[in-house]
Amino acid sequence: MNAHVNDIELQAMLASHLSDTASADIAAGAGLQAARGAERCAQRLDQPEQAVRAAAWACIHLTRLGLHTQMLDEAQRVQPLLAAQASPATAALHRELLRCLTLSGAEIGAFDVALDAAHELAVASHDSGCPEAALTAAYALAVCLERMGDSWQAVRTLNEALAAATGAEAPRELMVAANGACAVSIGMAHRLRDTGADAELQEVLGNARRHGEMALTLLSQISDVTYEAAVPGNLGEVRLLQGEISPAWPLLDRALAHAQARGLKAHVWRVRTSMADWLLAAGQPEPAREAALALLREMAGVGPQQTTIRAHDTVYRAARALGDAALALAHLEQAERLDRQRTTAQLRGQSQLFVTRSEAQRARALAAEFAAEAERDPLTGLGNRRHLERRCAELLPAAAVGRGALTVALLDVDHFKQVNDRHGHAVGDQVLVAMAQLLRENTRSGDVVARHGGEEFVLVLPGMAAQRAMEVCDRLRERVHSFPWGPRCGIAAPITVSLGLASAPGYDLPDLLHRADGALYRAKGEGRNRVLLAE
């Protein structure tokens, strides 16, 4: 097949896939296969931007299929590449990928990843100037907050977003947000059950039903395979929690049929949990117990955390109704253990991203600050690997366009292990902090300076050719050697550094780092305290 035909084939595959995905009128499994095929085709034709777009759609379909762990693994690679394209053509796709990354992270309890994606989505939505994008961002953050156990904040977030969007001509985004408000209200209702807060519970269920019916009406105006399962499933669960057993079943049955037809496994499991609850509410505890036990066996530790907790709770309540105390206690303990794990993950996620409830209310305003913190090395205050990769994704393509000068330097502190062994890790940390300050003072504002790990640092020097970079790095080496380490850190012997440099052309970061590492290895082998350029 010649290149021209291949290009036609690629464009046809991508156009077909993106069109189908936009209308969501294909099964998620078929969509995943189409995205994989488009990615392979783009790679074969050496079209990396198209390949990244197709890979992003594959990640989105993984979320729809409930393959959340796999989605997170793949999205960690794809998301920075898609963000680096920074074009109007990919902006909406990038926001959708961030939305799915938030949802998948929240489903499996990876709240640090989910919150990070939610805040990045808030920034991207704000920058887009698109009101409906803000609705989508609010929905993603709200789902994350609900899964973390903060249903009240989640409901407030979505109610405020929906109120702000009154009159907007965006049926899909309004439907998604309304369904999200229904879903997070359901989460709150489950937490309020059996607590004695009956008045609040009924108010929450009324809010859930109002939004669920709104979503169902809007769904009739569009076509979206995922929400054909989610919206009636949520509304059916609300009707069940309100004690309206007969009207609940057709909604649940409709949701299950759509989820099974489209291969949406996570939705299938959730609806089947609601159906087991329906059997229990209808006075059939034995079938309810068996249905929930079968579901737990099928999920076998890979089902969404919230669905698994609910299934254990259903077995507990059914076994208690049947007088089987041992089985009831075993599943109550399982549900409580999983809930404790979720709470622990919530606290860890909040701690890592410095998110409190008050900060969540100001998520959009603080999103840029959180993003910057995520790229900062906590000890030295320099950029970390994430910062290095993001900045290089901007600098390297720009330099490659005009085959501009650029040099990467790897700097390693000589005999650093001896510093730790002789003086302790606290002194070693002081050395690294002082080294970071020296690097700041001896580089330009446009240079990238990052801690690469341990006692190793990376300098990216845009616009600087090899010879000039050698001179700059040698002056830096001398500055380190002459620094008053004794008075500052209590070390008798001077600290020295070795540097390995690699220069463009060749604008691939891993290749530049590999070449610089080879030069650094030679510098170490030739006696340390020197600067060498890659051969």
Side-chain angles (χ1 to χ4, degrees), residues 3 13 25 30 57 100 125 149 171 223 225 229 250 262 265 268 296 307 331 340 383 387 399 407 439 492 495 516:
M13 289 178 71
D25 197 25
W57 279 115
C100 290
S125 299
S223 176
V225 62
R262 302 300 185 178
K265 186 172 292 186
V268 169
L296 285 168
T307 303
H331 284 272
R340 285 196 302 273
H387 176 74
T407 298
L439 294 178
I495 295 292

Side-chain angles (χ1 to χ4, degrees), residues 300-324:
V302 299
Q305 189 178 49
Q306 181 63 21
T307 303
T308 304
I309 291 172
R310 281 190 56 204
H312 280 299
D313 182 67
T314 301
V315 176
Y316 156 68
R317 290 184 290 113
R320 188 178 63 177
L322 291 166
D324 189 343

Side-chain angles (χ1 to χ4, degrees), residues 407-473:
T407 298
V408 170
L410 275 179
L411 179 151
D412 188 83
V413 181
D414 295 330
H415 300 300
F416 185 71
K417 183 177 183 302
Q418 294 179 14
V419 174
N420 282 332
D421 291 345
R422 292 174 182 173
H423 303 282
H425 287 277
V427 171
D429 286 350
Q430 291 180 38
V431 170
L432 294 176
V433 171
M435 186 68 65
Q437 187 57 36
L438 283 171
L439 294 178
R440 290 189 193 94
E441 293 171 356
N442 289 273
T443 51
R444 304 165 299 176
S445 60
D447 296 335
V448 180
V449 184
R451 186 181 178 195
H452 202 233
E455 66 273 22
E456 190 171 82
F457 300 85
V458 178
L459 287 72
V460 181
L461 310 172
M464 194 173 291
Q467 190 55 47
R468 174 64 176 156
M470 287 284 289
E471 295 169 1
V472 168
C473 288

Side-chain angles (χ1 to χ4, degrees), residues 131-403:
E132 54 266 31
L135 267 177
T136 302
Y139 160 72
L141 178 60
V143 170
C144 184
L145 291 169
E146 194 281 325
R147 289 294 186 266
M148 289 171 62
D150 195 350
S151 298
W152 287 262
Q153 178 65 25
V155 169
R156 282 195 295 271
T157 297
L158 269 176
N159 283 346
E160 290 171 3
L162 282 165
T166 301
E169 294 294 329
R172 184 181 187 279
E173 287 74 16
L174 284 168
M175 181 273 295
V176 170
N179 179 68
C182 178
V184 297
S185 296
I186 290 171
M188 184 188 294
H190 279 294
R191 291 182 173 86
L192 289 171
R193 283 201 308 175
D194 303 324
T195 65
D198 293 342
E200 184 179 3
L201 174 60
Q202 292 310 312
E203 181 183 352
V204 168
L205 288 173
N207 184 63
R209 180 164 174 174
R210 184 166 57 255
H211 285 119
E213 289 173 344
M214 174 184 173
L216 194 62
T217 300
L218 290 166
L219 185 63
S220 65
Q221 303 175 26
I222 62 175
S223 176
D224 191 304
V225 62
T226 302
Y227 288 95
E228 286 287 354
V231 171
N234 285 334
L235 187 55
E237 189 174 343
V238 172
R239 302 290 290 270
L240 178 60
L241 289 168
Q242 288 182 315
E244 299 181 10
I245 297 175
S246 295
W249 183 262
L251 289 164
L252 295 175
D253 192 51
R254 171 183 168 181
L256 182 64
H258 278 291
Q260 288 176 330
R262 302 300 185 178
L264 302 170
K265 186 172 292 186
H267 285 281
V268 169
W269 287 337
R270 177 168 179 173
V271 175
R272 284 174 55 192
T273 306
S274 297
M275 287 179 160
D277 283 341
W278 187 94
L279 290 169
L280 188 57
Q284 303 179 54
E286 189 169 352
R289 178 195 63 192
E290 294 308 308
L293 285 172
L295 182 58
L296 285 168
R297 287 193 295 270
E298 184 176 323
M299 291 191 293
V302 299
Q305 189 178 49
Q306 181 63 21
T307 303
T308 304
I309 291 172
R310 281 190 56 204
H312 280 299
D313 182 67
T314 301
V315 176
Y316 156 68
R317 290 184 290 113
R320 188 178 63 177
L322 291 166
D324 189 343
L327 184 64
L329 178 60
H331 284 272
L332 177 62
E333 289 175 344
Q334 288 273 39
E336 290 184 342
R337 179 179 62 81
L338 289 171
D339 200 43
R340 285 196 302 273
Q341 288 177 354
R342 179 176 62 182
T343 301
T344 301
Q346 169 193 356
L347 295 173
R348 184 182 297 117
Q350 288 179 331
S351 173
Q352 289 175 346
L353 289 177
F354 308 98
V355 172
T356 64
R357 289 181 181 179
S358 62
E359 287 169 335
Q361 290 175 320
R362 296 178 287 119
R364 183 179 298 171
L366 294 175
E369 181 181 336
F370 286 133
E373 195 67 32
E375 293 188 2
R376 187 175 296 123
D377 174 58
L379 175 64
T380 64
L382 295 178
N384 57 19
R385 286 174 183 257
R386 179 183 293 187
H387 176 74
L388 174 68
E389 290 170 357
R390 182 183 65 79
R391 288 296 313 281
C392 286
E394 301 166 355
L395 292 172
L396 292 173
V401 170
R403 295 186 65 78

